Amino acid sequence: MLVFGGVSLLMDFVYEGARSVTGPLLAHLGASAAVVGVVTGAGEAAALGLRLASGPLADRSRRFWAWTIAGYVLTAATVPVLGLTGVLWVACTLVIAERVGKAVRSPAKDTLLSHATAATGRGRGFAVHEAMDQVGALVGPLTVAGVLALTGDDYAPALGVLALPGVAAVALLLWLRARVPDPIGYETTVGTAAPEEQSPPAGSRERKLPRAFWAYAVFTAATLTGFATFGVLSYHLVARHLVPTAMVPVVYAAAMAADAVAALATGWLYDRFGAQVLVVLPLLSAAVPALAFTDTVGVAVAGALVWGAAVGVQESTLRATVADLVPVGRRATAYGVFAGIMGAAALVGGALAGVLYDVSVPLLIVVVACIQAAALVLLWVTRAVRSTPAH
């Protein structure tokens, strides 16, 4: 698990370094806040929605390592090229292509990780993995910030340097594949039994995903609807002249540190108290626009930190819960379906935040607050469905 975390650390160095300047880069090429919101939202939708296909395909082929490696290679190849283009539509395409790489690898990677974390506790295991991710997510943006400062905001060398950790990540992943070809052994060794997998009755519909999973997916979608991408947040920081461009990756790095802390904290609490810890997610999501889109530097940066904390919960505890709701044989499919629903919500969220930002920031704040209030109700419904025995 720790070596897998090292792979993620290196790859987060790559793509989080690039994501930290996506907003300013697109703005530099002539994009508006709405365009930044739509493109970054579409990128997240691609990263999540395409898992509807990659998840079931990974389950059917059982080639989890191949899917994981292919996705990492795609990301490592696209990021350095992003800094070389001077055309807006090409840059937009590359932003989305990088996210497609995440879609290709994630269901298979999460399935491999779910097996490896069976022996440690899934909440803690996914949280530690996310925390290691965030080490890379901290170093990557800081590296980009340093190169931007040294080169006078030249994006080519700032993103080109990210090719080095990308190559290292792929090499380490290939080594790990050779050492641990079948991580499911960790799960069978400790005797972890996923829900609905013990002695299914004859004629049962075990191939269907549980009702609790679907209720949980609806709650998750609500928390992402209206949740702004960092592209829109960074656009605000630069367009309102709150911070110089080279400082934006530093703010992003700080947000990733908040991400790691939130992931570890909620992962530990999840293992002790269960899914009720997720009540914090709608509260964080509602606070983001109220803080991040002000014209006061300190408050706007605080909003970015809250955004990072919310992402930490999304990337760790939300994923751990899926593993506890779905049987092993359907887990990659479940991660794909779950990500597809999240992707649709992320597209709506990014576009909604970008468009409403151009129209009225106070309206954006009110709309997001109402959506997150509804999400709290949906979380209560999810818990009720999960506690009701299936017939």
Side-chain angles (χ1 to χ4, degrees):
M1 187 184 76
L2 291 178
V3 178
F4 214 148
V7 173
S8 293
L9 185 157
L10 288 168
M11 194 53 67
D12 271 49
F13 190 137
V14 177
Y15 73 79
E16 298 291 16
R19 291 178 74 197
S20 70
V21 291
T22 297
L25 173 60
L26 296 181
H28 173 72
L29 296 176
S32 66
V35 170
V36 172
V38 170
V39 170
T40 52
E44 293 310 305
L48 296 165
L50 292 179
R51 298 181 208 184
L52 282 168
S54 63
L57 287 172
D59 264 342
R60 289 169 191 158
S61 68
R62 314 305 295 173
R63 299 181 65 184
F64 299 115
W65 280 113
W67 283 91
T68 302
I69 292 167
Y72 276 126
V73 168
L74 180 57
T75 293
T78 54
V79 165
V81 181
L82 180 60
L84 299 175
T85 183
V87 181
L88 179 59
W89 73 266
V90 175
C92 293
T93 301
L94 289 169
V95 168
I96 295 172
E98 182 276 310
R99 297 282 80 195
V100 170
K102 189 171 181 66
V104 170
R105 69 180 178 264
S106 288
K109 182 201 72 174
D110 285 345
T111 300
L112 293 172
L113 187 60
S114 74
H115 298 322
T117 57
T120 63
R122 289 204 172 95
R124 286 186 292 273
F126 274 89
V128 169
H129 185 269
E130 177 66 9
M132 293 184 72
D133 278 359
Q134 298 322 302
V135 174
L138 183 65
V139 176
L142 291 178
T143 301
V144 170
V147 177
L148 285 173
L150 290 173
T151 61
D153 296 341
D154 188 345
Y155 290 102
L159 296 180
V161 73
L162 301 177
L164 298 177
V167 171
V170 173
L172 183 59
L173 186 63
L174 291 172
W175 176 85
L176 182 60
R177 164 67 176 83
R179 290 292 301 272
V180 189
D182 192 13
I184 196 173
Y186 288 110
E187 187 153 344
T188 56
T189 297
V190 299
T192 301
E196 295 187 5
E197 208 173 50
Q198 298 176 346
S199 304
S204 67
R205 294 181 290 179
E206 68 275 12
R207 302 302 294 172
K208 288 192 174 183
L209 296 173
R211 287 184 304 160
F213 165 81
W214 292 109
Y216 178 66
V218 173
F219 154 74
T220 301
T223 66
L224 286 170
T225 303
F227 187 74
T229 63
F230 189 79
V232 179
L233 269 65
S234 59
Y235 179 95
H236 172 78
L237 292 173
V238 173
R240 298 294 180 91
H241 306 290
L242 298 179
V243 300
T245 300
M247 282 299 296
V248 171
V250 178
V251 174
Y252 187 79
M256 293 300 95
D259 177 322
V261 172
L264 288 170
T266 56
W268 181 81
L269 290 170
Y270 174 80
D271 283 340
R272 286 182 62 87
F273 303 109
Q276 62 189 13
V277 70
L278 292 172
V279 70
V280 71
L281 184 55
L283 301 178
L284 291 172
S285 299
V288 169
L291 298 172
F293 295 130
T294 64
D295 289 330
T296 303
V297 176
V299 177
V301 170
L305 298 180
V306 173
W307 176 89
V311 172
V313 179
Q314 293 168 4
E315 292 292 326
S316 60
T317 312
L318 285 183
R319 290 157 57 205
T321 305
V322 171
D324 284 336
L325 290 174
V326 179
V328 170
R330 296 288 286 164
R331 202 170 287 161
T333 297
Y335 276 122
V337 172
F338 185 69
I341 294 170
M342 289 179 69
L347 176 57
V348 173
L352 182 65
V355 171
L356 289 182
Y357 177 89
D358 282 339
V359 174
S360 169
V361 170
L363 178 61
L364 170 60
I365 293 170
V366 171
V367 169
V368 172
C370 292
I371 292 172
Q372 299 309 319
L376 287 172
V377 175
L378 288 169
L379 179 60
W380 179 83
V381 172
T382 299
R383 292 181 62 196
V385 169
R386 189 176 183 182
S387 62
T388 302
H391 296 288

Short mmCIF file of all heavy atoms in Angstrom, two decimals, residues 181-243:
data_model
loop_
_atom_site.label_atom_id
_atom_site.label_comp_id
_atom_site.label_asym_id
_atom_site.label_seq_id
_atom_site.Cartn_x
_atom_site.Cartn_y
_atom_site.Cartn_z
N PRO A 181 1.40 -9.06 -8.36
CA PRO A 181 0.50 -9.18 -9.51
C PRO A 181 -0.97 -9.33 -9.13
O PRO A 181 -1.84 -9.00 -9.93
CB PRO A 181 1.02 -10.43 -10.23
CG PRO A 181 1.72 -11.22 -9.17
CD PRO A 181 2.32 -10.21 -8.24
N ASP A 182 -1.27 -9.80 -7.91
CA ASP A 182 -2.67 -10.06 -7.53
C ASP A 182 -2.94 -9.62 -6.09
O ASP A 182 -2.95 -10.44 -5.17
CB ASP A 182 -2.97 -11.54 -7.69
CG ASP A 182 -4.47 -11.83 -7.60
OD1 ASP A 182 -5.25 -10.87 -7.66
OD2 ASP A 182 -4.84 -13.01 -7.47
N PRO A 183 -3.21 -8.31 -5.86
CA PRO A 183 -3.41 -7.80 -4.50
C PRO A 183 -4.65 -8.33 -3.79
O PRO A 183 -4.81 -8.12 -2.59
CB PRO A 183 -3.54 -6.28 -4.70
CG PRO A 183 -2.90 -6.02 -6.02
CD PRO A 183 -3.19 -7.23 -6.84
N ILE A 184 -5.56 -9.04 -4.50
CA ILE A 184 -6.75 -9.56 -3.83
C ILE A 184 -6.37 -10.55 -2.73
O ILE A 184 -7.15 -10.81 -1.82
CB ILE A 184 -7.71 -10.22 -4.83
CG1 ILE A 184 -9.11 -10.39 -4.20
CG2 ILE A 184 -7.17 -11.55 -5.32
CD1 ILE A 184 -10.16 -10.86 -5.16
N GLY A 185 -5.14 -11.06 -2.79
CA GLY A 185 -4.68 -11.97 -1.75
C GLY A 185 -4.70 -11.35 -0.37
O GLY A 185 -4.93 -12.03 0.64
N TYR A 186 -4.50 -10.01 -0.30
CA TYR A 186 -4.56 -9.33 0.99
C TYR A 186 -5.95 -9.44 1.60
O TYR A 186 -6.12 -9.64 2.80
CB TYR A 186 -4.21 -7.85 0.84
CG TYR A 186 -2.75 -7.60 0.55
CD1 TYR A 186 -2.35 -7.15 -0.69
CD2 TYR A 186 -1.78 -7.79 1.53
CE1 TYR A 186 -1.01 -6.90 -0.97
CE2 TYR A 186 -0.45 -7.55 1.28
CZ TYR A 186 -0.06 -7.11 0.02
OH TYR A 186 1.25 -6.87 -0.25
N GLU A 187 -6.98 -9.34 0.76
CA GLU A 187 -8.35 -9.36 1.26
C GLU A 187 -8.77 -10.75 1.68
O GLU A 187 -9.39 -10.94 2.72
CB GLU A 187 -9.30 -8.81 0.19
CG GLU A 187 -10.72 -8.63 0.68
CD GLU A 187 -11.46 -7.54 -0.07
OE1 GLU A 187 -10.82 -6.72 -0.74
OE2 GLU A 187 -12.69 -7.51 0.05
N THR A 188 -8.42 -11.75 0.88
CA THR A 188 -8.81 -13.12 1.23
C THR A 188 -8.02 -13.64 2.43
O THR A 188 -8.52 -14.46 3.21
CB THR A 188 -8.58 -14.05 0.03
OG1 THR A 188 -7.22 -13.95 -0.40
CG2 THR A 188 -9.49 -13.67 -1.13
N THR A 189 -6.80 -13.12 2.61
CA THR A 189 -5.98 -13.57 3.74
C THR A 189 -6.58 -13.16 5.07
O THR A 189 -6.63 -13.93 6.03
CB THR A 189 -4.55 -13.00 3.63
OG1 THR A 189 -3.96 -13.52 2.44
CG2 THR A 189 -3.71 -13.39 4.84
N VAL A 190 -7.09 -11.91 5.14
CA VAL A 190 -7.64 -11.43 6.41
C VAL A 190 -9.10 -11.81 6.57
O VAL A 190 -9.72 -11.51 7.59
CB VAL A 190 -7.49 -9.89 6.55
CG1 VAL A 190 -6.04 -9.51 6.51
CG2 VAL A 190 -8.28 -9.17 5.47
N GLY A 191 -9.68 -12.45 5.53
CA GLY A 191 -11.06 -12.92 5.66
C GLY A 191 -12.07 -11.81 5.62
O GLY A 191 -13.16 -11.94 6.17
N THR A 192 -11.77 -10.70 4.95
CA THR A 192 -12.72 -9.59 4.85
C THR A 192 -13.83 -9.96 3.89
O THR A 192 -13.56 -10.32 2.75
CB THR A 192 -12.02 -8.32 4.35
OG1 THR A 192 -10.97 -8.00 5.26
CG2 THR A 192 -12.98 -7.16 4.25
N ALA A 193 -15.04 -9.89 4.34
CA ALA A 193 -16.18 -10.19 3.48
C ALA A 193 -16.96 -8.93 3.20
O ALA A 193 -17.41 -8.27 4.11
CB ALA A 193 -17.09 -11.22 4.15
N ALA A 194 -17.11 -8.58 1.94
CA ALA A 194 -17.87 -7.39 1.57
C ALA A 194 -19.35 -7.68 1.71
O ALA A 194 -19.79 -8.82 1.73
CB ALA A 194 -17.55 -7.00 0.13
N PRO A 195 -20.20 -6.66 1.81
CA PRO A 195 -21.63 -6.86 1.97
C PRO A 195 -22.23 -7.64 0.83
O PRO A 195 -21.81 -7.52 -0.31
CB PRO A 195 -22.17 -5.42 2.02
CG PRO A 195 -21.12 -4.58 1.40
CD PRO A 195 -19.84 -5.24 1.72
N GLU A 196 -23.21 -8.45 1.15
CA GLU A 196 -24.00 -9.22 0.20
C GLU A 196 -23.18 -10.27 -0.53
O GLU A 196 -23.56 -10.77 -1.56
CB GLU A 196 -24.68 -8.30 -0.84
CG GLU A 196 -25.69 -7.37 -0.23
CD GLU A 196 -26.46 -6.62 -1.30
OE1 GLU A 196 -26.25 -6.89 -2.50
OE2 GLU A 196 -27.26 -5.78 -0.96
N GLU A 197 -21.98 -10.62 0.01
CA GLU A 197 -21.16 -11.57 -0.70
C GLU A 197 -21.10 -12.91 0.01
O GLU A 197 -20.60 -13.89 -0.51
CB GLU A 197 -19.74 -11.01 -0.86
CG GLU A 197 -19.07 -11.56 -2.09
CD GLU A 197 -17.76 -10.87 -2.35
OE1 GLU A 197 -16.93 -10.75 -1.45
OE2 GLU A 197 -17.57 -10.44 -3.49
N GLN A 198 -21.61 -13.00 1.21
CA GLN A 198 -21.56 -14.24 1.96
C GLN A 198 -22.80 -15.08 1.65
O GLN A 198 -23.92 -14.69 1.96
CB GLN A 198 -21.48 -13.94 3.46
CG GLN A 198 -20.23 -13.16 3.84
CD GLN A 198 -20.23 -12.79 5.30
OE1 GLN A 198 -21.25 -12.88 5.99
NE2 GLN A 198 -19.09 -12.36 5.79
N SER A 199 -22.55 -16.23 1.05
CA SER A 199 -23.61 -17.19 0.76
C SER A 199 -24.85 -16.57 0.14
O SER A 199 -25.93 -16.56 0.73
CB SER A 199 -24.01 -17.90 2.07
OG SER A 199 -22.89 -18.49 2.66
N PRO A 200 -24.76 -15.99 -1.07
CA PRO A 200 -25.94 -15.42 -1.69
C PRO A 200 -26.97 -16.50 -1.98
O PRO A 200 -26.63 -17.61 -2.43
CB PRO A 200 -25.39 -14.82 -2.99
CG PRO A 200 -24.13 -15.57 -3.27
CD PRO A 200 -23.57 -15.92 -1.93
N PRO A 201 -28.23 -16.25 -1.71
CA PRO A 201 -29.26 -17.26 -1.94
C PRO A 201 -29.44 -17.56 -3.42
O PRO A 201 -29.15 -16.73 -4.27
CB PRO A 201 -30.53 -16.60 -1.36
CG PRO A 201 -30.25 -15.14 -1.41
CD PRO A 201 -28.79 -14.99 -1.18
N ALA A 202 -29.91 -18.76 -3.68
CA ALA A 202 -30.13 -19.16 -5.07
C ALA A 202 -31.13 -18.21 -5.72
O ALA A 202 -32.15 -17.86 -5.14
CB ALA A 202 -30.67 -20.60 -5.12
N GLY A 203 -30.82 -17.85 -6.97
CA GLY A 203 -31.73 -16.97 -7.69
C GLY A 203 -31.66 -15.53 -7.28
O GLY A 203 -32.45 -14.71 -7.73
N SER A 204 -30.74 -15.17 -6.36
CA SER A 204 -30.66 -13.78 -5.91
C SER A 204 -30.09 -12.91 -7.02
O SER A 204 -29.39 -13.36 -7.91
CB SER A 204 -29.76 -13.68 -4.68
OG SER A 204 -28.42 -13.98 -5.01
N ARG A 205 -30.35 -11.60 -6.93
CA ARG A 205 -29.88 -10.67 -7.94
C ARG A 205 -28.61 -9.98 -7.45
O ARG A 205 -28.57 -8.78 -7.28
CB ARG A 205 -30.99 -9.66 -8.26
CG ARG A 205 -32.20 -10.28 -8.91
CD ARG A 205 -33.26 -9.26 -9.24
NE ARG A 205 -33.89 -8.74 -8.04
CZ ARG A 205 -34.84 -7.81 -8.05
NH1 ARG A 205 -35.25 -7.28 -9.17
NH2 ARG A 205 -35.38 -7.40 -6.91
N GLU A 206 -27.55 -10.83 -7.22
CA GLU A 206 -26.33 -10.31 -6.64
C GLU A 206 -25.58 -9.39 -7.59
O GLU A 206 -24.67 -8.69 -7.19
CB GLU A 206 -25.41 -11.46 -6.19
CG GLU A 206 -24.82 -12.31 -7.30
CD GLU A 206 -25.76 -13.43 -7.73
OE1 GLU A 206 -26.95 -13.41 -7.32
OE2 GLU A 206 -25.31 -14.30 -8.48
N ARG A 207 -25.93 -9.43 -8.91
CA ARG A 207 -25.24 -8.59 -9.86
C ARG A 207 -25.73 -7.15 -9.79
O ARG A 207 -25.13 -6.27 -10.38
CB ARG A 207 -25.44 -9.12 -11.28
CG ARG A 207 -24.96 -10.55 -11.49
CD ARG A 207 -23.50 -10.73 -11.16
NE ARG A 207 -22.63 -10.01 -12.08
CZ ARG A 207 -21.33 -9.88 -11.93
NH1 ARG A 207 -20.74 -10.38 -10.87
NH2 ARG A 207 -20.60 -9.22 -12.82
N LYS A 208 -26.81 -6.90 -9.10
CA LYS A 208 -27.29 -5.54 -8.97
C LYS A 208 -26.60 -4.84 -7.81
O LYS A 208 -26.28 -5.47 -6.80
CB LYS A 208 -28.82 -5.52 -8.75
CG LYS A 208 -29.61 -5.88 -9.99
CD LYS A 208 -31.09 -5.56 -9.79
CE LYS A 208 -31.87 -5.78 -11.09
NZ LYS A 208 -33.30 -5.42 -10.93
N LEU A 209 -26.39 -3.55 -7.99
CA LEU A 209 -25.78 -2.78 -6.91
C LEU A 209 -26.80 -2.52 -5.82
O LEU A 209 -27.99 -2.35 -6.10
CB LEU A 209 -25.24 -1.45 -7.46
CG LEU A 209 -24.11 -1.61 -8.49
CD1 LEU A 209 -23.77 -0.25 -9.12
CD2 LEU A 209 -22.87 -2.21 -7.85
N PRO A 210 -26.40 -2.49 -4.56
CA PRO A 210 -27.33 -2.34 -3.43
C PRO A 210 -28.08 -1.01 -3.45
O PRO A 210 -27.57 0.00 -3.96
CB PRO A 210 -26.42 -2.43 -2.20
CG PRO A 210 -25.16 -3.08 -2.68
CD PRO A 210 -25.01 -2.68 -4.10
N ARG A 211 -29.29 -1.01 -2.87
CA ARG A 211 -30.07 0.22 -2.78
C ARG A 211 -29.34 1.30 -2.01
O ARG A 211 -29.40 2.48 -2.34
CB ARG A 211 -31.42 -0.05 -2.10
CG ARG A 211 -32.42 -0.82 -2.95
CD ARG A 211 -33.73 -0.94 -2.20
NE ARG A 211 -33.55 -1.56 -0.88
CZ ARG A 211 -34.41 -1.47 0.13
NH1 ARG A 211 -35.50 -0.75 0.00
NH2 ARG A 211 -34.17 -2.08 1.27
N ALA A 212 -28.63 0.91 -0.97
CA ALA A 212 -27.90 1.88 -0.16
C ALA A 212 -26.84 2.60 -1.00
O ALA A 212 -26.56 3.79 -0.79
CB ALA A 212 -27.25 1.19 1.04
N PHE A 213 -26.24 1.88 -1.95
CA PHE A 213 -25.25 2.50 -2.82
C PHE A 213 -25.88 3.61 -3.64
O PHE A 213 -25.30 4.70 -3.80
CB PHE A 213 -24.63 1.45 -3.75
CG PHE A 213 -23.87 2.04 -4.91
CD1 PHE A 213 -22.57 2.50 -4.75
CD2 PHE A 213 -24.48 2.16 -6.17
CE1 PHE A 213 -21.88 3.06 -5.81
CE2 PHE A 213 -23.79 2.71 -7.23
CZ PHE A 213 -22.49 3.17 -7.05
N TRP A 214 -27.07 3.36 -4.20
CA TRP A 214 -27.72 4.36 -5.04
C TRP A 214 -28.13 5.59 -4.23
O TRP A 214 -27.98 6.73 -4.69
CB TRP A 214 -28.93 3.75 -5.74
CG TRP A 214 -28.56 2.73 -6.77
CD1 TRP A 214 -28.74 1.38 -6.70
CD2 TRP A 214 -27.91 2.97 -8.01
NE1 TRP A 214 -28.26 0.76 -7.82
CE2 TRP A 214 -27.74 1.71 -8.66
CE3 TRP A 214 -27.46 4.12 -8.66
CZ2 TRP A 214 -27.14 1.59 -9.90
CZ3 TRP A 214 -26.86 3.99 -9.91
CH2 TRP A 214 -26.71 2.75 -10.51
N ALA A 215 -28.64 5.37 -3.03
CA ALA A 215 -29.00 6.51 -2.18
C ALA A 215 -27.76 7.34 -1.83
O ALA A 215 -27.78 8.58 -1.83
CB ALA A 215 -29.68 6.01 -0.90
N TYR A 216 -26.68 6.63 -1.57
CA TYR A 216 -25.43 7.31 -1.24
C TYR A 216 -24.90 8.11 -2.43
O TYR A 216 -24.37 9.22 -2.28
CB TYR A 216 -24.42 6.25 -0.81
CG TYR A 216 -23.05 6.76 -0.48
CD1 TYR A 216 -22.85 7.58 0.62
CD2 TYR A 216 -21.95 6.41 -1.26
CE1 TYR A 216 -21.57 8.05 0.94
CE2 TYR A 216 -20.69 6.86 -0.95
CZ TYR A 216 -20.51 7.69 0.15
OH TYR A 216 -19.25 8.15 0.44
N ALA A 217 -25.04 7.56 -3.63
CA ALA A 217 -24.59 8.25 -4.83
C ALA A 217 -25.37 9.55 -5.06
O ALA A 217 -24.80 10.56 -5.49
CB ALA A 217 -24.72 7.33 -6.04
N VAL A 218 -26.66 9.53 -4.78
CA VAL A 218 -27.47 10.74 -4.94
C VAL A 218 -27.02 11.82 -3.95
O VAL A 218 -26.90 13.00 -4.30
CB VAL A 218 -28.97 10.42 -4.75
CG1 VAL A 218 -29.79 11.70 -4.75
CG2 VAL A 218 -29.45 9.49 -5.87
N PHE A 219 -26.76 11.43 -2.72
CA PHE A 219 -26.24 12.38 -1.73
C PHE A 219 -24.92 12.99 -2.22
O PHE A 219 -24.71 14.21 -2.16
CB PHE A 219 -26.02 11.68 -0.39
CG PHE A 219 -24.97 12.33 0.47
CD1 PHE A 219 -25.23 13.54 1.12
CD2 PHE A 219 -23.71 11.75 0.62
CE1 PHE A 219 -24.26 14.16 1.90
CE2 PHE A 219 -22.73 12.36 1.40
CZ PHE A 219 -23.01 13.56 2.03
N THR A 220 -24.03 12.15 -2.71
CA THR A 220 -22.73 12.63 -3.18
C THR A 220 -22.88 13.61 -4.34
O THR A 220 -22.20 14.64 -4.40
CB THR A 220 -21.85 11.44 -3.62
OG1 THR A 220 -21.68 10.56 -2.51
CG2 THR A 220 -20.49 11.91 -4.10
N ALA A 221 -23.79 13.29 -5.27
CA ALA A 221 -24.02 14.19 -6.40
C ALA A 221 -24.48 15.56 -5.94
O ALA A 221 -24.05 16.59 -6.48
CB ALA A 221 -25.06 13.58 -7.34
N ALA A 222 -25.32 15.59 -4.93
CA ALA A 222 -25.80 16.89 -4.42
C ALA A 222 -24.66 17.71 -3.84
O ALA A 222 -24.60 18.93 -4.03
CB ALA A 222 -26.88 16.66 -3.36
N THR A 223 -23.72 17.06 -3.16
CA THR A 223 -22.62 17.82 -2.56
C THR A 223 -21.70 18.41 -3.62
O THR A 223 -21.00 19.40 -3.36
CB THR A 223 -21.76 16.93 -1.62
OG1 THR A 223 -21.10 15.91 -2.38
CG2 THR A 223 -22.63 16.29 -0.55
N LEU A 224 -21.67 17.82 -4.83
CA LEU A 224 -20.81 18.32 -5.89
C LEU A 224 -21.50 19.33 -6.80
O LEU A 224 -20.83 20.01 -7.58
CB LEU A 224 -20.30 17.15 -6.74
CG LEU A 224 -19.22 16.30 -6.09
CD1 LEU A 224 -18.96 15.04 -6.91
CD2 LEU A 224 -17.93 17.09 -5.95
N THR A 225 -22.81 19.42 -6.72
CA THR A 225 -23.55 20.37 -7.55
C THR A 225 -23.39 21.77 -6.96
O THR A 225 -23.85 22.04 -5.85
CB THR A 225 -25.03 19.99 -7.64
OG1 THR A 225 -25.15 18.65 -8.14
CG2 THR A 225 -25.78 20.94 -8.56
N GLY A 226 -22.72 22.63 -7.69
CA GLY A 226 -22.43 23.96 -7.18
C GLY A 226 -21.08 24.07 -6.53
O GLY A 226 -20.68 25.16 -6.11
N PHE A 227 -20.35 22.94 -6.45
CA PHE A 227 -19.01 22.96 -5.86
C PHE A 227 -18.03 23.47 -6.91
O PHE A 227 -17.79 22.83 -7.92
CB PHE A 227 -18.62 21.56 -5.39
CG PHE A 227 -17.33 21.51 -4.63
CD1 PHE A 227 -17.27 21.97 -3.32
CD2 PHE A 227 -16.19 21.01 -5.20
CE1 PHE A 227 -16.09 21.93 -2.59
CE2 PHE A 227 -14.99 20.95 -4.50
CZ PHE A 227 -14.95 21.43 -3.19
N ALA A 228 -17.45 24.63 -6.68
CA ALA A 228 -16.58 25.27 -7.67
C ALA A 228 -15.29 24.50 -7.84
O ALA A 228 -14.75 23.92 -6.89
CB ALA A 228 -16.28 26.71 -7.25
N THR A 229 -14.76 24.49 -9.06
CA THR A 229 -13.43 23.93 -9.30
C THR A 229 -12.38 24.94 -8.87
O THR A 229 -12.65 26.14 -8.76
CB THR A 229 -13.23 23.61 -10.79
OG1 THR A 229 -13.31 24.83 -11.54
CG2 THR A 229 -14.30 22.64 -11.29
N PHE A 230 -11.16 24.46 -8.66
CA PHE A 230 -10.09 25.40 -8.30
C PHE A 230 -9.77 26.32 -9.48
O PHE A 230 -9.26 27.42 -9.28
CB PHE A 230 -8.82 24.67 -7.87
CG PHE A 230 -7.79 25.59 -7.28
CD1 PHE A 230 -7.89 26.04 -5.97
CD2 PHE A 230 -6.73 26.04 -8.05
CE1 PHE A 230 -6.96 26.92 -5.44
CE2 PHE A 230 -5.78 26.92 -7.53
CZ PHE A 230 -5.90 27.36 -6.22
N GLY A 231 -10.11 25.88 -10.69
CA GLY A 231 -9.92 26.76 -11.84
C GLY A 231 -10.67 28.06 -11.68
O GLY A 231 -10.15 29.14 -11.97
N VAL A 232 -11.91 27.98 -11.21
CA VAL A 232 -12.71 29.19 -11.00
C VAL A 232 -12.16 29.99 -9.81
O VAL A 232 -12.08 31.22 -9.85
CB VAL A 232 -14.19 28.85 -10.79
CG1 VAL A 232 -15.02 30.11 -10.56
CG2 VAL A 232 -14.73 28.09 -12.00
N LEU A 233 -11.77 29.29 -8.74
CA LEU A 233 -11.20 29.98 -7.59
C LEU A 233 -9.93 30.72 -7.97
O LEU A 233 -9.73 31.89 -7.59
CB LEU A 233 -10.90 28.98 -6.46
CG LEU A 233 -12.00 28.71 -5.43
CD1 LEU A 233 -13.21 28.05 -6.08
CD2 LEU A 233 -11.48 27.81 -4.32
N SER A 234 -9.05 30.07 -8.72
CA SER A 234 -7.79 30.71 -9.10
C SER A 234 -8.03 31.84 -10.11
O SER A 234 -7.30 32.84 -10.11
CB SER A 234 -6.82 29.68 -9.67
OG SER A 234 -7.34 29.03 -10.81
N TYR A 235 -9.03 31.67 -10.97
CA TYR A 235 -9.41 32.76 -11.88
C TYR A 235 -9.78 34.00 -11.08
O TYR A 235 -9.36 35.13 -11.41
CB TYR A 235 -10.59 32.32 -12.75
CG TYR A 235 -11.08 33.38 -13.72
CD1 TYR A 235 -10.62 33.40 -15.03
CD2 TYR A 235 -12.00 34.34 -13.32
CE1 TYR A 235 -11.07 34.37 -15.93
CE2 TYR A 235 -12.45 35.32 -14.19
CZ TYR A 235 -11.98 35.33 -15.50
OH TYR A 235 -12.43 36.28 -16.37
N HIS A 236 -10.55 33.81 -10.02
CA HIS A 236 -10.96 34.93 -9.16
C HIS A 236 -9.74 35.59 -8.53
O HIS A 236 -9.64 36.84 -8.49
CB HIS A 236 -11.91 34.43 -8.08
CG HIS A 236 -12.24 35.45 -7.04
ND1 HIS A 236 -13.15 36.46 -7.23
CD2 HIS A 236 -11.77 35.61 -5.76
CE1 HIS A 236 -13.23 37.20 -6.14
NE2 HIS A 236 -12.41 36.70 -5.23
N LEU A 237 -8.82 34.81 -8.03
CA LEU A 237 -7.63 35.36 -7.37
C LEU A 237 -6.80 36.23 -8.30
O LEU A 237 -6.28 37.27 -7.90
CB LEU A 237 -6.77 34.22 -6.82
CG LEU A 237 -7.34 33.41 -5.66
CD1 LEU A 237 -6.43 32.22 -5.35
CD2 LEU A 237 -7.51 34.28 -4.42
N VAL A 238 -6.69 35.81 -9.57
CA VAL A 238 -5.89 36.56 -10.54
C VAL A 238 -6.67 37.71 -11.14
O VAL A 238 -6.16 38.83 -11.27
CB VAL A 238 -5.37 35.60 -11.64
CG1 VAL A 238 -4.67 36.39 -12.75
CG2 VAL A 238 -4.42 34.58 -11.04
N ALA A 239 -7.95 37.45 -11.51
CA ALA A 239 -8.75 38.50 -12.16
C ALA A 239 -9.00 39.68 -11.24
O ALA A 239 -9.07 40.83 -11.70
CB ALA A 239 -10.09 37.91 -12.64
N ARG A 240 -9.15 39.42 -9.95
CA ARG A 240 -9.37 40.51 -8.99
C ARG A 240 -8.05 41.05 -8.42
O ARG A 240 -8.08 41.87 -7.50
CB ARG A 240 -10.26 40.01 -7.85
CG ARG A 240 -11.66 39.57 -8.28
CD ARG A 240 -12.48 40.72 -8.81
NE ARG A 240 -13.81 40.28 -9.22
CZ ARG A 240 -14.88 40.28 -8.43
NH1 ARG A 240 -14.76 40.66 -7.17
NH2 ARG A 240 -16.04 39.86 -8.88
N HIS A 241 -6.93 40.56 -8.96
CA HIS A 241 -5.60 41.04 -8.56
C HIS A 241 -5.34 40.88 -7.06
O HIS A 241 -4.71 41.71 -6.42
CB HIS A 241 -5.41 42.51 -8.96
CG HIS A 241 -5.66 42.77 -10.41
ND1 HIS A 241 -4.82 42.32 -11.41
CD2 HIS A 241 -6.69 43.41 -11.05
CE1 HIS A 241 -5.30 42.69 -12.60
NE2 HIS A 241 -6.43 43.33 -12.41
N LEU A 242 -5.84 39.74 -6.53
CA LEU A 242 -5.62 39.47 -5.11
C LEU A 242 -4.23 38.90 -4.86
O LEU A 242 -3.61 39.20 -3.84
CB LEU A 242 -6.69 38.50 -4.59
CG LEU A 242 -8.14 39.00 -4.67
CD1 LEU A 242 -9.10 37.94 -4.16
CD2 LEU A 242 -8.32 40.28 -3.89
N VAL A 243 -3.76 38.06 -5.78
CA VAL A 243 -2.41 37.51 -5.67
C VAL A 243 -1.79 37.46 -7.06
O VAL A 243 -2.51 37.35 -8.06
CB VAL A 243 -2.41 36.08 -5.06
CG1 VAL A 243 -2.99 36.08 -3.66
CG2 VAL A 243 -3.16 35.11 -5.96
#
